[in-house]
């Protein structure tokens, strides 16, 4: 692997390979993760290198997969489970809520559950029903789980390594339409590790407003910020990276510095992560806000057919419409003022 043109899929594969190499307690398991290397080839070559005892194909039974992983974790192993597609994970939800999320609390901290659940999620690949859900809201609402989602190649590697090393269960949401994006990254250049789970990162500074986002919506927001500059607005972009734990400090610093915020995500709006983020910003930054926090989300409908998904997913035009609607004092612009902020880097 060279230092140029590394995909997110390659970074995830490298993270799993390094975790298996460094810790004999790590085991990868899931449907088709062995010989096939996973539907998206994230586990390609791992079974050949580490054997099918360390990278194991399982029956097509998500509840059984996760239940088995719970037992493995209770006995000191570090299983990494792949759920193959977002909506395929729903049959395992009872195991997740009743056991994975509660074990540490149930045993008063005596029995941690070092379990990582990899879930390819989100749309943008022309997938049919049950293949394009953004199900993060279910996990966010379940106390006892950490929930993270990388948007960059470096975070794909770094956050997955941190998730596997964590003694808390981590739902690791992988934006599948980002799998084949390439960035200048190499595992040889890890002298500066990525920020830990629980830290947001400013991807672009700005003085007039901030777009708060994560996972598959990051490139949309970066493109929207570029377009907003052509209209005379300096818009920042904040990548949450971690939904639980949530980085209130960095988010609020960005909002207070600009006075205006838009939350962007693919999941449906009603009861989604954006609602929680907007509420937290409203509670903590009310006197700094010059406009209500806006949300740009997926529509409140079941995921549509592939030819219609472009209407469902937040795009640059919808994000720009929300920015324009942030109650600017004039028809042109009246920025919040101040120097560009730089927080969470």
């Amino acid at each position: 692997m060279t230092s140029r043109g590394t995909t997110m899929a390659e970074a995830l594969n490298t993270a799993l390979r390094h975790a298996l190499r460094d810790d004999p307690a790590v085991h990868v398991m899931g449907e088709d993760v062995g010989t096939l290397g996973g539907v998206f080839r994230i586990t390609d070559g791992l079974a050949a290198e580490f054997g099918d005892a360390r990278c194991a194909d399982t029956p097509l039974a998500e509840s059984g997969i996760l239940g088995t992983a719970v037992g493995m974790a209770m006995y000191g192993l570090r299983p990494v489970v792949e759920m193959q597609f977002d909506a395929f994970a729903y049959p395992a939800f009872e195991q997740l809520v009743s056991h994975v999320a509660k074990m540490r609390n149930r045993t008063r901290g005596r029995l941690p559950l070092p379990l990582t659940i990899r879930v390819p999620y989100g749309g943008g690949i022309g997938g049919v029903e049950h293949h394009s859900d953004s199900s993060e809201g279910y996990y966010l609402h379940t106390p006892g789980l950490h929930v993270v989602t990388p948007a960059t190649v470096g975070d794909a590697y770094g956050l997955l390594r941190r998730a596997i090393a964590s003694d808390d269960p981590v739902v690791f949401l992988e934006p599948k339409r980002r799998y084949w994006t390439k960035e200048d990254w190499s595992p040889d250049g890890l002298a500066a590790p990525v920020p830990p789970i629980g830290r947001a990162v400013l991807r672009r500074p700005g003085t007039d407003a901030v777009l708060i986002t994560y996972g598959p919506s990051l490139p949309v927001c970066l493109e929207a910020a570029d377009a907003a500059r052509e209209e005379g607005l300096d818009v920042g972009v904040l990548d949450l990276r971690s939904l639980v734990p949530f980085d209130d400090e960095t988010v609020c610093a960005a909002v207070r510095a600009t006075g205006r915020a838009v939350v962007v995500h693919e999941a449906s709006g009603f009861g989604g992560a954006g609602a929680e983020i907007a509420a937290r910003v409203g509670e903590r930054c009310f006197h700094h806000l010059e406009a209500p926090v806006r949300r740009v989300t997926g529509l409140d409908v079941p995921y549509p057919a592939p030819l219609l998904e472009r209407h469902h997913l937040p795009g640059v035009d919808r994000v720009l419409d929300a920015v324009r609607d942030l109650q600017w004092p004039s028809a042109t612009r009246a920025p919040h003022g101040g120097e560009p902020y730089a927080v969470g880097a």
Side-chain angles (χ1 to χ4, degrees):
M1 187 182 301
T2 65
S3 61
R4 297 194 61 83
T6 302
T7 67
M8 179 177 285
E10 291 172 322
L12 292 166
N13 179 272
T14 302
L16 291 171
R17 176 172 284 104
H18 288 177
L20 286 162
R21 178 198 64 192
D22 295 345
D23 187 350
V26 174
H27 289 252
V28 174
M29 55 193 294
E31 300 165 4
D32 297 320
V33 301
T35 303
L36 181 64
V39 171
F40 297 102
R41 303 299 186 267
I42 306 301
T43 58
D44 188 38
L46 299 184
E49 182 172 350
F50 298 97
D52 55 14
R54 299 281 308 281
C55 183
D57 285 326
T58 65
L60 305 182
E62 286 76 12
S63 181
I65 296 169
L66 192 53
T68 300
V70 170
M72 293 169 65
M74 291 173 67
Y75 277 88
L77 299 178
R78 291 185 177 272
V80 182
V81 169
E82 179 181 301
M83 284 296 171
Q84 197 170 82
F85 281 96
D86 31 59
F88 290 12
Y90 298 151
F93 198 66
E94 191 278 330
Q95 292 281 358
L96 188 76
V97 173
S98 297
H99 303 294
V100 175
K102 293 181 171 59
M103 188 61 66
R104 193 163 200 165
N105 184 72
R106 180 180 294 148
T107 61
R108 298 186 179 181
R110 292 191 296 271
L111 190 60
L113 214 62
L115 167 61
T116 302
I117 304 162
R118 295 181 42 246
V119 184
Y121 85 117
I125 65 167
V128 295
E129 187 181 19
H130 301 307
H131 293 72
S132 299
D133 281 13
S134 294
S135 46
E136 60 266 31
Y138 302 124
Y139 307 122
L140 300 180
H141 192 65
T142 306
L145 301 177
H146 287 182
V147 184
V148 302
T149 176
T152 68
V153 171
D155 269 356
Y157 178 91
L159 286 176
L160 184 53
R161 290 301 307 270
R162 289 182 181 274
I164 296 171
S166 173
D167 285 335
D168 289 303
V170 179
V171 178
F172 194 86
L173 299 171
E174 300 171 3
K176 63 175 79 74
R177 65 165 156 165
R178 299 284 291 159
Y179 276 151
W180 302 281
T181 57
K182 292 184 178 181
E183 296 176 20
D184 183 4
W185 177 89
S186 169
D188 298 327
L190 296 178
V194 302
I197 292 173
R199 284 287 302 279
V201 168
L202 185 71
R203 300 298 182 189
R204 175 178 175 145
T207 57
D208 296 336
V210 61
L211 304 177
I212 303 170
T213 191
Y214 55 88
S217 295
L218 177 63
V220 174
C221 290
L222 291 171
E223 186 178 349
D226 287 337
R229 183 176 291 277
E230 297 177 5
E231 300 183 11
L233 291 171
D234 187 16
V235 177
V237 179
L238 188 68
D239 179 5
L240 294 175
R241 304 171 68 253
S242 172
L243 300 176
V244 180
F246 188 81
D247 189 354
D248 283 299
E249 180 182 0
T250 302
V251 171
C252 290
V255 174
R256 289 167 183 157
T258 61
R260 292 176 170 87
V262 178
V263 185
V264 183
H265 61 65
E266 285 192 9
S268 299
F270 189 87
E276 174 64 23
I277 296 166
R280 298 177 83 87
V281 169
E283 291 168 353
R284 292 162 174 80
C285 306
F286 180 80
H287 294 291
H288 293 80
L289 289 172
E290 298 189 19
V293 179
R294 293 294 309 274
R295 289 178 290 159
V296 181
T297 70
L299 306 179
D300 292 325
V301 298
Y303 200 86
L307 292 178
L308 298 175
E309 69 175 359
R310 69 184 186 278
H311 302 293
H312 174 75
L313 298 174
V316 171
D317 289 341
R318 287 174 60 192
V319 175
L320 284 176
D321 285 343
V323 171
R324 296 185 189 113
D325 197 38
L326 287 173
Q327 296 186 5
W328 303 100
S330 71
T332 54
R333 63 181 288 265
H336 184 71
E339 295 298 319
Y341 59 92
V343 293

